[in-house]
Amino acid sequence: NFMLTQPHSVSESPGKTVTISCTRSSGTIASNYVHWYQQRPDSAPTTVIYDDVQRVSGVPGRFSGSIDSSSNSASLTISGLKTEDEADYYCQSFDGTSWVFGGGTKLTVL
Amino acid sequence: EVQLVQSGAEVKKPGESLKISCKGSGYRFTTYWIGWVRQMPGKGLEWMGMIYPGDSETRYSPSFQGQVTISADKSIATAYLQWDSLRPSDIAVYYCARVMVTAANWFDSWGQGTLVTVSS
């Protein structure tokens, strides 16, 4: 089993770029794909990135995913920030028997 | 269009039983796994388990095994999450979500969520 650790919160100004990390506690990040979900306030989650780097149809190109073996982490990068991007973001992977979610990162765009 | 429509909010007393539902439409219900996810107040997402409606194969998170039962009725394209005896700690929003299989498994469509409140 492993855990996925995300920063509790990040904030950035409109038009800027922000990166949200998701660090795997044991095992290698490349061993299992990572997916990213966006949850706006009082709404159900939606998927933004799957299989580490694939963008879901309809998700703006401003959203991108990556993995970094050196830090054993996955990242979600949002460029050209808009106020509508303000939401909680969750990473998710699979540990062989269970789906694992990160604790979530609250993105504030101010 | 893929849609998952969940049953409405519930208010129950401790010890009562409950079964909430998730109806799928816009796709072949029997050929996609449906998962359930818990979100406690102010907290993150937790995977509870999932079911393959085609043959009702189920898989549970160790954290929820024995605490809930996941089932499905493929004749009406509906998945269920049920409790035999609710506790105040079951207060949460419960989401169902369809599992998409690409290089890995992930949730591609989500229900709107069902709020479960347990209070005496």
Side-chain angles (χ1 to χ4, degrees), chain A residues 5-11 20-21 87-89 103-108, chain B residues 42-43:
Chain A
T5 300
Q6 301 180 232
H8 184 257
S9 63
V10 295
S11 61
I20 298 171
S21 62
D88 294 327
Y89 291 87
T105 298
K106 182 177 181 60
L107 169 62
T108 302
Chain B
K43 302 298 184 182

Side-chain angles (χ1 to χ4, degrees), chain A residues 82-104:
Chain A
K82 300 185 176 185
T83 55
E84 69 201 45
D85 299 331
E86 190 161 288
D88 294 327
Y89 291 87
Y90 295 89
C91 58
Q92 176 255 310
S93 190
F94 182 68
D95 73 357
T97 57
S98 293
W99 292 39
V100 179
F101 282 99

Side-chain angles (χ1 to χ4, degrees), chain B residues 34-88:
Chain B
I34 291 286
W36 288 95
V37 174
R38 182 176 78 174
Q39 187 167 39
M40 299 175 77
K43 302 298 184 182
L45 306 175
E46 300 174 88
W47 179 72
M48 302 176 72
M50 58 191 194
I51 187 165
Y52 188 74
D55 61 6
S56 291
E57 179 183 350
T58 54
R59 299 174 185 172
Y60 291 93
S61 161
S63 299
F64 292 93
Q65 179 84 48
Q67 308 304 308
V68 296
T69 301
I70 295 171
S71 61
D73 184 342
K74 61 184 179 183
S75 69
I76 55 172
T78 301
Y80 301 98
L81 178 66
Q82 71 178 79
W83 296 258
D84 291 334
S85 180
L86 285 162
R87 308 170 183 175

Side-chain angles (χ1 to χ4, degrees), chain A:
Chain A
N1 286 12
F2 59 86
M3 296 193 312
L4 297 173
T5 300
Q6 301 180 232
H8 184 257
S9 63
V10 295
S11 61
E12 191 50 271
S13 302
K16 300 292 189 179
T17 296
V18 71
T19 296
I20 298 171
S21 62
C22 171
T23 303
R24 178 167 167 157
S25 62
S26 61
T28 59
I29 192 68
S31 296
N32 303 91
Y33 286 94
V34 175
H35 321 288
W36 290 90
Y37 304 95
Q38 175 193 67
Q39 186 178 32
R40 292 193 173 104
D42 298 317
S43 296
T46 60
T47 315
V48 291
I49 297 289
Y50 67 95
D51 295 349
D52 294 343
V53 300
Q54 303 300 325
R55 205 164 40 249
V56 170
S57 176
V59 171
R62 303 183 294 106
F63 289 77
S64 62
S66 63
I67 61 167
D68 179 2
S69 298
S70 65
S71 60
N72 211 36
S73 65
S75 293
L76 173 68
T77 298
I78 310 170
S79 60
L81 276 168
K82 300 185 176 185
T83 55
E84 69 201 45
D85 299 331
E86 190 161 288
D88 294 327
Y89 291 87
Y90 295 89
C91 58
Q92 176 255 310
S93 190
F94 182 68
D95 73 357
T97 57
S98 293
W99 292 39
V100 179
F101 282 99
T105 298
K106 182 177 181 60
L107 169 62
T108 302
V109 181
L110 38 66

